[in-house]
Amino acid sequence: MTHAQELPLHMRRNGLDPVGELAKARDGEGVVRVETPFGLPAYLVCRHENVRQVLSDPARFSSVLRPFRGLDELDADELAAMRAGNLIGFDLPEHTRLRRMLTPEFTMRRMRRLEPRITEIVQAALDDLERAGRPADLVAHFALPVPSLVICELLGVPYADRAAFQDRSVRMLDTSLPMKQRAAAQREDRAYMAGLVERAQADPGEDMLGMLIREHGDELSTDELIGIAGLLLLAGHETTSNMLALGTLALLRHPDQLATIRKDPAQIEPAIEELLRWLSIVQSLPPRTTTTEVEIAGHAIPAGSMVICSLPAANRDSAFIDDPETLDITRGPPATSPSAMGCTTVSGPRWRGWRCASPFPALLQRFPGLALADPDEPADFRSFSLVHGLNSLPVTW
């Protein structure tokens, strides 16, 4: 499938921007009926205030997703095992229980301890990019390997296994594939994670899995450890690698913004906040299911309905922020930031941790003349991925 019209509305992009139909839905009805990649009907919520309404009310908008085609052949035990540890698929109090055990791993103190190793990883990737010669693919030589190595360090994953887990991640997130193929990739990933957890239980190391087993081994089942590891591995390199690639593309297309960061690397912090808002690389959070009849933007939505929040539409809502279509890294954080409203549930904390050794300033310092290899060449976007990104980004310097 290659036609743009086959994409669900909430996944359609015009390059780095959401399509006009999405803005029209937000500024018009606010809520529209759509069909999900699973073939199920859903209500798409587009306005910022309504997205906040959905995300802040788990009692009426449950994160527990009902079974759908492609997974209906699984028995209850396998479904429960696949859901275990996936904190974004649980409501309170289970979500809080799991998140409480993970939060310390994403504090600034933890990331500062990793800063020397992260710096080594970034510099090695820059060396590799330079050796590749001009033009070089920023995705293959920098945006993908840097977060992959970092998440391998965090989880104790052998870096030699990176190609296999990257392949599984792409298949799990590719909505153009039949659901059974995506479920098969998820099973493969789970089997791999089970091996990691088994080895960590036998000999806990200093990585995140070792920490969880030493400090919370009595509170977490093996299935939960497998689920946590799988979620963090998937989110850890998918969101960050695509943020690096799309963020670089956005800055290269906005030379005034790029010049600000080059002049003052400390500007990378507000730049990341603004890029998170403006790019919205996560198309939507996992769907919610209404537990009762609800009203959103004047629309009555029956109980048991699937609700999807459009993050690109919400983050460019003029009721949320002034001049939302403009990328402006100097604007300062809005009253309610994208991460505060849940738009970066997984990637937000990880990007905050990276600010102590962000790859962006290192990239711009090494290559002060960094530019697109061919500014007139259309960018190679990953159209059918649940995480917006690039297949490649040829650059020169």
Side-chain angles (χ1 to χ4, degrees):
M1 295 187 292
T2 58
H3 301 296
Q5 61 266 28
E6 294 175 332
L7 280 168
L9 177 59
H10 68 282
M11 292 179 62
R12 296 179 197 168
R13 300 275 186 143
N14 179 18
L16 296 174
D17 303 316
V19 294
E21 298 98 309
L22 199 52
K24 186 181 296 184
R26 178 196 61 221
D27 299 336
E29 293 294 313
V31 176
V32 293
R33 292 292 301 272
V34 295
E35 184 174 290
T36 70
F38 320 125
L40 296 175
Y43 291 86
L44 182 64
V45 179
C46 303
R47 295 175 185 164
H48 183 272
E49 65 171 319
N50 298 134
V51 168
R52 282 184 53 78
Q53 174 188 350
V54 172
L55 299 183
S56 63
D57 189 356
R60 296 195 301 159
F61 300 94
S62 173
S63 296
V64 180
L65 188 64
R66 61 189 179 185
F68 47 82
R69 289 199 303 270
L71 293 182
D72 49 11
E73 77 278 7
L74 303 180
D75 61 34
D77 290 340
E78 187 172 4
L79 278 172
M82 291 178 70
R83 289 185 62 240
N86 185 354
L87 73 164
I88 61 175
F90 286 99
D91 297 324
L92 302 175
E94 186 67 5
H95 174 92
T96 303
R97 181 182 76 87
L98 293 169
R99 193 172 184 90
R100 173 179 57 82
M101 300 178 203
L102 291 173
T103 299
E105 284 302 293
F106 295 105
T107 62
M108 291 304 294
R109 183 176 61 183
R110 166 73 178 176
M111 296 307 295
R112 285 193 181 109
R113 290 203 303 269
L114 282 174
E115 183 175 354
R117 178 60 183 138
I118 294 174
T119 299
E120 290 177 4
I121 290 170
V122 170
Q123 293 303 320
L126 292 171
D127 291 343
D128 181 61
L129 181 65
E130 190 168 13
R131 281 193 300 268
R134 299 172 290 179
D137 182 4
L138 189 84
V139 172
H141 295 283
F142 188 72
L144 188 56
V146 167
S148 295
L149 258 174
V150 172
I151 198 66
C152 284
E153 292 277 338
L154 283 170
L155 286 175
V157 176
Y159 188 55
D161 296 346
R162 67 192 183 281
F165 73 65
Q166 288 164 2
D167 172 71
R168 290 192 298 269
S169 296
V170 169
R171 284 186 283 143
M172 284 189 284
L173 294 171
D174 186 350
T175 61
S176 70
L177 296 177
M179 194 59 222
K180 288 189 176 181
Q181 289 187 30
R182 295 170 61 196
Q186 187 172 356
R187 288 192 187 96
E188 293 170 24
D189 198 64
R190 179 175 172 77
Y192 174 79
M193 296 301 162
L196 285 182
V197 169
E198 182 179 3
R199 291 193 292 273
Q201 287 174 325
D203 183 20
E206 296 302 315
D207 52 72
M208 184 184 301
L209 274 180
M211 180 279 300
L212 286 172
I213 290 166
R214 285 194 305 274
E215 299 184 15
H216 302 288
D218 295 337
E219 303 171 73
L220 291 168
S221 69
T222 296
D223 280 338
E224 287 176 327
L225 285 166
I226 292 169
I228 289 171
L231 175 64
L232 293 178
L233 183 60
L234 175 67
H237 77 274
E238 276 292 332
T239 56
T240 311
S241 65
N242 286 303
M243 181 64 179
L244 274 174
L246 288 177
T248 301
L249 175 61
L251 291 173
L252 291 176
R253 288 182 173 179
H254 294 78
D256 57 328
Q257 309 289 294
L258 184 60
T260 299
I261 297 174
R262 281 200 173 111
K263 183 178 179 180
D264 181 9
Q267 290 296 317
I268 194 61
E269 294 201 17
I272 289 174
E273 280 291 343
E274 175 69 348
L275 286 167
L276 283 170
R277 179 199 70 82
W278 195 76
L279 292 170
S280 295
I281 60 168
V282 179
Q283 314 270 26
S284 65
L285 296 180
R288 272 37 176 186
T289 301
T290 55
T291 60
T292 185
E293 181 177 316
V294 298
E295 181 177 304
I296 304 178
H299 296 264
I301 299 179
S305 299
M306 185 180 293
V307 174
I308 297 175
C309 294
S310 172
L311 304 187
N315 279 335
R316 296 207 187 182
D317 188 344
S318 60
F320 160 54
I321 196 167
D322 293 335
D323 194 16
E325 298 299 327
T326 298
L327 177 68
D328 179 7
I329 67 171
T330 67
R331 72 165 76 238
T336 307
S337 68
S339 50
M341 63 180 278
C343 291
T344 52
T345 306
V346 175
S347 60
R350 184 158 293 108
W351 269 95
R352 282 189 184 82
W354 277 55
R355 289 175 185 173
C356 61
S358 174
F360 275 124
L363 175 66
L364 300 178
Q365 182 178 5
R366 175 70 73 89
F367 302 107
L370 189 71
L372 296 174
D374 184 353
D376 296 324
E377 183 71 19
D380 184 13
F381 292 103
R382 294 169 52 183
S383 298
F384 284 90
S385 177
L386 292 171
V387 178
H388 194 42
L390 291 163
N391 293 310
S392 63
L393 182 62
V395 295
T396 189
W397 51 88

